[in-house]
Amino acid sequence: MFAFREEDHSYWLSDRRLDGVTEILERSGIADYRFSNEDAMTRGTYVHTATVLIDRGTLDWSALDDTLRPYCHAYQRFIEDKRPKILLSEKPMYHPQYLYAGTPDRVMEMDGAIILPDLKSGAPNRATAVQVSAYRELVKVSEGIDCRKCFSLHLRDDGTYRLNHIENTQRYYNIFLAALTVERYKKEAA
């Protein structure tokens, strides 16, 4: 049985702990979070939570912290501009063959295509393309949904957003699988 433990953000398949996508990217050196400050990481967590509430129509804007407000306005503008239909939101899942897990931000239908956007409230990062490609494959094998397009959705501190199309996701997925293989090899050798 697959489970996600919120308290330590860990993924489990019965009694086996599965590596998460972001863990794999960080340990492999593809993503480097050493210089991310705690405030920015906390803000990102709160922004994600707030965007889920926006999707549900239950965000209390009057109770929203001022530091989060521009990011939430940016997401609200994206929703109003693009009018996507949300199919999945923040659903933990795992890959049964490669035994890794993750929580894609959203799967949406937009402009007649099924898309996978990854929400970002920080600076653009090269690792995002690899991360999103791993999530795309998770959605495909776990949910049977083939996301035709992948994006990073950058929510900015000025209340605007930028939707960046990620092309050649198969290439980036191959990079992810290589990182996963190297990480497993290093664990075995230790």
Side-chain angles (χ1 to χ4, degrees):
M1 173 170 253
F2 175 69
F4 172 69
R5 295 183 186 166
E6 185 75 41
E7 62 273 7
D8 64 355
H9 199 87
S10 64
Y11 301 94
W12 295 83
L13 187 59
S14 297
D15 61 349
R16 178 182 178 165
R17 188 181 188 287
L18 300 180
D19 293 320
V21 170
T22 53
E23 287 177 292
I24 294 162
L25 295 177
E26 186 171 20
R27 287 195 316 252
S28 68
I30 291 173
D32 187 355
Y33 303 114
R34 290 176 299 165
F35 303 108
S36 297
N37 68 50
E38 182 120 2
D39 289 343
M41 293 177 80
T42 300
R43 181 191 66 228
T45 299
Y46 287 141
V47 167
H48 270 74
T49 300
T51 60
V52 170
L53 296 174
I54 290 170
D55 290 344
R56 294 179 184 159
T58 59
L59 179 65
D60 181 356
W61 287 88
S62 66
L64 192 62
D65 186 276
D66 286 340
T67 60
L68 304 177
R69 194 173 303 282
Y71 301 98
C72 293
H73 280 300
Y75 184 71
Q76 184 68 42
R77 283 191 180 102
F78 163 75
I79 295 297
E80 291 169 0
D81 290 350
K82 301 298 184 183
R83 303 252 181 241
K85 176 182 176 187
I86 298 166
L87 305 176
L88 290 174
S89 178
E90 301 284 338
K91 182 177 180 182
M93 52 188 75
Y94 79 101
H95 196 293
Q97 179 182 358
Y98 294 115
L99 296 175
Y100 72 88
T103 305
D105 293 340
R106 305 288 189 284
V107 174
M108 302 173 163
E109 185 175 342
M110 188 176 83
D111 299 329
I114 305 297
I115 69 161
L116 191 152
D118 194 69
L119 282 61
K120 300 293 183 190
S121 59
N125 184 328
R126 286 186 61 204
T128 300
V130 180
Q131 178 185 18
V132 171
S133 70
Y135 289 157
R136 178 182 182 270
E137 191 66 20
L138 277 177
V139 170
K140 188 175 183 178
V141 300
S142 297
E143 301 295 321
I145 300 173
D146 189 8
C147 300
R148 295 294 177 173
K149 295 182 179 180
C150 296
F151 297 90
S152 61
L153 174 55
H154 289 275
L155 308 175
R156 298 176 170 174
D157 63 1
D158 64 358
T160 63
Y161 69 88
R162 183 168 184 182
L163 192 62
N164 298 317
H165 183 233
I166 298 169
E167 298 188 39
N168 202 356
T169 54
Q170 186 58 53
R171 174 181 177 262
Y172 290 115
Y173 188 60
N174 290 341
I175 293 168
F176 175 78
L177 289 178
L180 178 64
T181 301
V182 169
E183 282 308 299
R184 294 216 170 124
Y185 173 78
K186 285 168 39 177
K187 275 185 180 178
E188 291 169 6

